[in-house]
Amino acid sequence: MKKLMSALLAVVMLLGCMFAFASCNKEPAGSSADSMTLNVGAYPDTIDPALNSAVDGATYIIHTFVGLVGYDKNGNLAPMLATELPEAVATADGKTSYTFTLRDGLKWSDGSDLTAEDFVYSWNRAADPNTAADYGYMFEVIDGYGTDKLNVTASEDGKQLTVVLPVDVPYFYELCAFPTYMPVKKDVVEANGDSWATKAETYIGNGPYKVTKFTQAELVLTKNEYYFDAANVVTNEIVFAFNDDDSSLLANYKNGSYLFIDSVPNDEIETLEKDYPNEYFVEGQLGTYYVSFNVNDPALDGFTEVEKASIRTALSLLIDRNYICSDIGKAGQVPAAGFVAMGLTEPDGKQFIEKNGENRDGSGYYSVAAEDYSANCDEALKIFADVAASSGKFTVTDNKLVGFPTLTYITNEGTGHEAIAAYLQALWGTYGITVKVETQEWATFLNTRKNGDYSVARNGWLGDYNDPISFLDMWVTSSGNNDTQFGKDAHASYAGYSYDGKDGLTWAESYDAIIAKVKSSKDAEERFELMHEAEDILMQTGAICPIYYYTDIYMCSEKIDGFFSSPLGYKFFMYASVK
Amino acid sequence: MDSKLALYIVKRLLLAIFTVFLIITITFFVMKAIPGGPFLSEKSPSPEVTAALEAKYGLDKPVFEQYITYLKDLLRGDFGPSIKNRGRQVIDLIMEGFAVSAKNGLIAACLAIVIGLVLGALAAVFHDSWIDKTIMVLSTAFVAIPSFVVATLLLLIFCITFPIFPANGNVSGGLVLPIISLSLSPMSYITRLTRSSMLDVLGQDYIRTARAKGVSNTKVIFKHALKNAVTPVITYVGPMIAYILTGSLVVEKVFAVPGLGDFFFSSITNRDYPMVMGTTIFLATLMVIMTLLSDICYKIFDPRVDLS
């Protein structure tokens, strides 16, 4: 037995050695006065400023690159590489030009000079379809977009950059602060292809930090001594740990490994709100969660286009958005009464949603006040009764629809999405409407929705910049995001819309025309009025059924001072310090 | 090595190549048949961008042509670039992840085998005693409890309630819990296999003879009994090692371990075709090699086995 015990002891010692091996060669995490470990997402798809289209990727990029314009310590738009925000100048041929003057002594993180020519190269690269950048269309406001070369020129001394726009857009400075507009270093990009942005050695930036380590576990940034504003960058090192498991994130936050996490488990929200009042944040985000209806849904064949729109509007009125926000979303979401999200500003400084609705008084396209919910339901039933009478295809008896076609609701996997699907199924079910819920795997779901092979689908949209057009131009006939199939197939010939005093217009003649006009309009007030008109038409179809405006939840340790986030969801730590 | 064994290995290797080829072919065509594509997202890129991307990755060509091109590239050892992670080569991503997963997996596999064998032997030697019963209850429990429950429980107990270990696999001491989570289930399975096999062996005549000849108990157990009881365990251990080395999606997610596990799942969700192929080929190759090795181990542990 003694020998048996010694054998067991040997095994225990062996295991001890294994664990020691498993634990070795690792650096401690957490924070020191000069370093902070944070999390804003998983291992990113790309951190190439031109190719990135993700929010977490944008956060990494704004720490390693900077554009002509950016955000100052207070989160306000301010000149960065440019000495000032230039005035728009009308050109002889009726276009608009901006001439940016670059600061003196600008350098890349490898110490080489950065000139206006770098912008010419980078912007043309990002706009080139062969670069295949998701956000290449961000350059469509610049003259020459769609041709071989953008109308962007550098002065001979490399100090000035002149950009010509066919039509001035009020959000041009904001575009200049967008990651896609940041300069990249031509020689490293050309020598390494897409892989330049995958290794610390070749990832040459010009921002407050430079990359010193980039693995599948983390992105380590250290202060860039060549950054023009390096004196204001306090913390020497930022470690962005890659992780997207909510439970793991919270565990790491609670034990101090991460000082910031960008996501929390849904079922922990109430506890966290209570237990961490100074560390749990809910911020507004430029985005809307909505349900989209397929305007060419075969399930509603036999109804006229007007009846279809009425049915969709009635289904939308039945939804208790307050219930969804408070009992399913539980994260401070705001019930939505229009499609364009909150947080977008008008020329007079008011919010776009403060003027939405047909009366332009911010009352939206239906009331989302809790006390009006039963009135909404009554109105919905009245609409159904009218449609039943005009179509003769179903009846309404005792507040129940009899003989109404079965609808299919598609959603992707995800507790929140599935809970909303179950709620809608039960809700519409109480009115006699049978809804089949189909939960599909992510890519299959996207494909089904894009191809219009559905009746009703869950949907969501995050704006790209602070202008409502980012929510409205996606619904033109040719848009790749026109999941509702507006202006396609049968809907293409339906002439029931109005614009510019004319009635009986098709989707292309009304909506597409308004959006084209918005894009060519030089008058800011006219632009915004047109965008409200576009939203009116959109909501009149009933095919877009907004549920709530998105919020961005994150936890930020009290140890961090000087951090801020933007409505696009980007997180700014370059001015932050650790206590 | 005798010629019979060498011939056997050559035959098996050829069969393995054929198996992997079949897997490549089936995976390739099934993968292309699933709806959706790598460039779909909540915000779809413009048709021009999609066309440029499809041309860049050769997805604009007929599927059969893509298949032939893929096979040719593969013969040159080129697994292609990842579509999702722009600028990264599939083989680099796999190797980086595998380096982490394999290290954890190897330790977990050793733990599972060593402890599993010892506990199984103990349970058999002390058959029907409280030791046997305790081991059996625990091993049954750990075989039955899925790894995501074990991992989450360990995270809750040892990282939050009693913060002894970090919750992050990327820092000092952070791999202890993922390794335990990975090893518990195979360890329990090996325990149960060893116990039943040992019980069978311990009842054999030659063990009784050895004991009658005065051979010490430890020697009887470890030299005579365990060696023979280990054969069924080998059958299980081969594929188990292949799985455990390539990482676990759940365990790696829960403990933020930057391993290979996630790629098996995310590559399919993202329709990252070269990555789907890469991970499948990698796992399939590892699996056939491990199965071959375990068959060879059979022969070593039990010379009566006829490999032909």
Side-chain angles (χ1 to χ4, degrees):
Chain A
M1 190 50 83
K2 249 186 195 170
K3 280 187 181 170
L4 192 65
M5 290 316 287
S6 11
L8 277 177
L9 191 65
V11 168
V12 171
M13 284 170 69
L14 176 74
L15 299 180
C17 291
M18 283 180 179
F19 277 118
F21 173 64
S23 313
C24 69
N25 293 331
K26 295 284 173 185
E27 297 146 15
S31 68
S32 66
D34 226 16
S35 170
M36 46 187 162
T37 301
L38 317 161
N39 171 278
V40 296
Y43 180 63
D45 296 352
T46 175
I47 53 170
D48 181 331
L51 302 182
N52 173 66
S53 59
V55 173
D56 52 340
T59 294
Y60 306 133
I61 292 164
I62 56 172
H63 287 85
T64 46
F65 285 87
V66 66
L68 295 165
V69 182
Y71 294 89
D72 64 15
K73 279 182 180 178
N74 305 314
N76 297 322
L77 215 54
M80 288 287 149
L81 297 189
T83 52
E84 58 176 2
L85 300 179
E87 290 288 318
V89 176
T91 62
D93 54 356
K95 295 176 179 171
T96 304
S97 84
Y98 286 89
T99 301
F100 294 89
T101 304
L102 266 54
R103 289 173 193 273
D104 291 329
L106 292 177
K107 302 243 182 242
W108 292 102
S109 59
D110 62 355
S112 56
D113 291 338
L114 188 157
T115 70
E117 202 56 58
D118 290 310
F119 281 94
V120 176
Y121 165 73
S122 309
W123 291 11
N124 276 297
R125 168 180 181 257
D128 182 355
N130 292 321
T131 308
D134 283 1
Y135 277 162
Y137 67 82
M138 289 271 182
F139 293 91
E140 69 179 357
V141 299
I142 297 180
D143 193 36
Y145 178 78
T147 66
D148 283 351
K149 200 158 167 33
L150 296 174
N151 195 343
V152 181
T153 44
S155 64
E156 264 188 32
D157 61 357
K159 289 284 292 174
Q160 288 188 321
L161 182 78
T162 304
V163 190
V164 178
L165 278 58
V167 177
D168 192 15
V169 289
Y171 50 94
F172 185 61
Y173 293 137
E174 194 163 344
L175 285 180
C176 289
F178 203 73
T180 323
Y181 273 69
M182 291 177 182
V184 292
K185 196 163 188 284
K186 187 177 177 182
D187 54 351
V188 284
V189 175
E190 293 198 335
N192 299 282
D194 283 350
S195 72
W196 77 273
T198 63
K199 296 184 280 272
E201 315 82 82
T202 51
Y203 195 72
I204 307 296
N206 68 332
Y209 288 90
K210 60 183 177 190
V211 175
T212 44
K213 189 177 171 197
F214 184 23
T215 66
Q216 288 179 39
E218 61 193 6
L219 178 73
V220 182
L221 310 179
T222 47
K223 207 170 146 175
N224 172 15
E225 66 269 36
Y226 294 109
Y227 179 53
F228 79 92
D229 195 22
N232 282 315
V233 179
V234 190
T235 310
N236 192 43
E237 184 186 68
I238 295 180
V239 179
F240 284 111
F242 301 139
N243 187 346
D244 63 350
D245 184 89
D246 288 348
S247 311
S248 170
L249 287 176
L250 190 59
N252 277 291
Y253 183 81
K254 283 184 171 173
N255 72 14
S257 293
Y258 301 161
L259 295 182
F260 182 97
I261 53 171
D262 210 359
S263 174
V264 298
N266 233 23
D267 44 7
E268 293 279 345
I269 286 176
E270 280 166 84
T271 324
L272 294 172
E273 225 171 350
K274 203 162 76 241
D275 295 352
Y276 295 85
N278 300 323
E279 297 179 47
Y280 172 84
F281 294 91
V282 178
E283 305 261 8
Q285 198 173 9
L286 292 184
T288 307
Y289 188 99
Y290 64 102
V291 167
S292 59
F293 288 86
N294 175 7
V295 291
N296 293 322
D297 178 15
L300 295 184
D301 276 353
F303 290 98
T304 65
E305 289 294 332
V306 176
E307 287 166 350
K308 285 182 193 173
S310 300
I311 289 170
R312 295 188 292 252
T313 306
L315 287 169
S316 169
L317 282 170
L318 290 175
I319 300 171
D320 185 351
R321 291 161 173 86
N322 288 291
Y323 172 80
I324 294 182
C325 294
S326 60
D327 286 62
I328 301 178
K330 295 184 193 167
Q333 290 95 339
V334 179
F339 178 63
V340 176
M342 57 181 190
L344 296 154
T345 36
E346 296 254 351
D348 63 3
K350 274 193 166 181
Q351 281 219 13
F352 188 86
I353 61 161
E354 288 180 89
K355 292 188 186 178
N356 72 3
E358 273 153 17
N359 302 324
R360 301 287 180 269
D361 58 358
S363 56
Y365 295 88
Y366 43 80
S367 173
V368 286
E371 60 273 19
D372 291 338
Y373 178 59
S374 70
N376 284 351
C377 295
D378 293 344
E379 195 189 333
L381 284 168
K382 193 176 159 299
I383 295 173
F384 278 130
D386 291 346
V387 175
S390 67
S391 69
K393 293 180 81 70
F394 65 96
T395 55
V396 182
T397 321
D398 296 335
N399 293 345
K400 274 191 188 298
L401 279 61
V402 180
F404 191 79
T406 299
L407 300 175
T408 309
Y409 183 95
I410 60 161
T411 177
N412 57 310
E413 293 148 341
T415 17
H417 303 316
E418 290 174 68
I420 289 175
Y423 162 75
L424 294 176
Q425 184 181 38
L427 170 83
W428 289 333
T430 58
Y431 293 95
I433 303 162
T434 310
V435 177
K436 279 196 299 186
V437 172
E438 251 180 47
T439 305
Q440 300 184 347
E441 178 266 347
W442 177 236
T444 308
F445 168 72
L446 290 174
N447 196 50
T448 315
R449 200 175 64 181
K450 191 180 165 66
N451 293 337
D453 298 331
Y454 71 97
S455 298
V456 195
R458 84 117 200 121
N459 224 319
W461 186 257
L462 287 171
D464 293 327
Y465 42 87
N466 186 2
D467 192 275
I469 194 69
S470 164
F471 281 81
L472 297 169
D473 69 352
M474 61 189 280
W475 298 116
V476 298
T477 310
S478 59
S479 160
N481 294 301
N482 176 10
D483 295 337
T484 47
Q485 315 296 309
F486 287 133
K488 294 183 181 175
D489 303 325
H491 192 253
S493 54
Y494 171 58
Y497 302 105
S498 312
Y499 164 53
D500 209 13
K502 280 178 264 174
D503 294 332
L505 303 177
T506 62
W507 189 257
E509 290 160 348
S510 56
Y511 195 86
D512 292 1
I514 296 185
I515 297 301
K517 182 87 175 60
V518 171
K519 291 190 170 180
S520 64
S521 171
K522 295 181 180 180
D523 178 343
E525 292 203 356
E526 181 197 50
R527 268 188 90 244
F528 273 79
E529 178 45 37
L530 285 167
M531 288 196 280
H532 281 296
E533 277 181 42
E535 195 183 22
D536 291 346
I537 297 185
L538 200 58
M539 296 306 292
Q540 179 197 329
T541 64
I544 308 292
C545 165
I547 304 288
Y548 57 71
Y549 300 127
Y550 279 117
T551 47
D552 180 18
I553 299 182
Y554 58 82
M555 296 197 63
C556 183
S557 163
E558 287 183 290
K559 285 184 184 171
I560 293 187
D561 195 28
F563 154 81
F564 64 93
S565 107
S566 81
L568 294 175
Y570 303 173
K571 308 293 182 301
F572 295 75
F573 296 98
M574 59 284 270
Y575 305 114
S577 58
V578 194
K579 279 183 237 169
Chain B
M1 194 191 292
D2 60 45
S3 60
K4 206 172 166 189
L5 185 60
L7 186 69
Y8 172 76
I9 292 174
V10 170
K11 260 166 61 184
R12 281 291 301 266
L13 278 177
L14 288 175
L15 190 66
I17 292 169
F18 180 67
T19 311
V20 173
F21 168 74
L22 263 187
I23 291 170
I24 292 172
T25 308
I26 294 170
T27 313
F28 192 92
F29 288 102
V30 169
M31 175 181 83
K32 296 282 176 182
I34 334 173
F39 313 120
L40 280 176
S41 70
E42 196 88 271
K43 289 183 180 178
S44 299
S46 68
E48 296 79 43
V49 170
T50 308
L53 284 167
E54 282 179 349
K56 184 180 165 85
Y57 295 103
L59 302 178
D60 52 344
K61 305 214 167 63
V63 174
F64 194 71
E65 197 181 324
Q66 290 179 38
Y67 170 69
I68 299 295
T69 313
Y70 186 78
L71 286 185
K72 280 184 191 160
D73 289 345
L74 202 58
L75 282 177
R76 286 188 283 110
D78 180 4
F79 281 73
S82 160
I83 296 179
K84 182 172 157 61
N85 296 108
R86 288 277 292 265
R88 303 295 316 263
Q89 291 295 315
V90 164
I91 194 70
D92 295 344
L93 286 168
I94 291 182
M95 282 308 162
E96 270 176 44
F98 183 63
V100 177
S101 292
K103 180 176 150 187
N104 298 345
L106 203 63
I107 300 172
C110 291
L111 268 183
I113 296 168
V114 174
I115 300 185
L117 284 175
V118 172
L119 291 182
L122 273 179
V125 173
F126 299 105
H127 183 48
D128 261 350
S129 71
W130 65 269
I131 298 177
D132 179 26
K133 283 174 184 156
T134 314
I135 291 174
M136 275 300 93
V137 168
L138 287 178
S139 60
T140 309
F142 285 121
V143 164
I145 303 174
S147 63
F148 67 88
V149 176
V150 174
T152 318
L153 263 180
L154 289 176
L155 180 81
L156 182 71
I157 298 170
F158 296 108
C159 302
I160 297 176
T161 316
F162 307 104
I164 304 166
F165 294 107
N168 184 346
N170 198 38
V171 298
S172 178
L175 292 178
V176 174
L177 294 182
I179 288 172
I180 294 179
S181 315
L182 276 177
S183 62
L184 278 178
S185 173
M187 183 193 296
S188 307
Y189 200 78
I190 292 172
T191 304
R192 295 174 59 84
L193 275 178
T194 313
R195 176 182 175 272
S196 56
S197 168
M198 270 291 268
L199 283 178
D200 185 37
V201 171
L202 286 174
Q204 301 277 331
D205 288 346
Y206 70 90
I207 296 290
R208 208 173 305 138
T209 313
R211 287 192 202 276
K213 280 164 76 181
V215 178
S216 76
N217 200 25
T218 317
K219 208 167 174 183
V220 168
I221 293 165
F222 286 104
K223 192 175 171 199
H224 299 283
L226 195 57
K227 191 182 163 195
N228 290 314
V230 93
T231 341
V233 177
I234 292 171
T235 322
Y236 169 73
V237 161
M240 181 272 280
I241 290 180
Y243 273 122
I244 214 169
L245 289 189
T246 47
S248 148
L249 166 72
V250 175
V251 173
E252 291 182 356
K253 278 266 176 204
V254 172
F255 293 104
V257 179
L260 189 57
D262 188 35
F263 285 127
F264 288 97
F265 179 77
S266 65
S267 60
I268 299 171
T269 312
N270 298 324
R271 302 287 189 275
D272 188 346
Y273 299 134
M275 196 65 193
V276 173
M277 293 307 296
T279 46
T280 309
I281 295 170
F282 191 76
L283 179 62
T285 312
L286 205 59
M287 192 65 89
V288 293
I289 292 174
M290 291 317 296
T291 316
L292 175 61
L293 284 181
S294 60
D295 287 354
I296 296 169
C297 286
Y298 256 18
K299 173 78 184 164
I300 295 166
F301 277 88
D302 188 353
R304 291 169 304 173
V305 171
D306 181 8
L307 287 177
S308 59

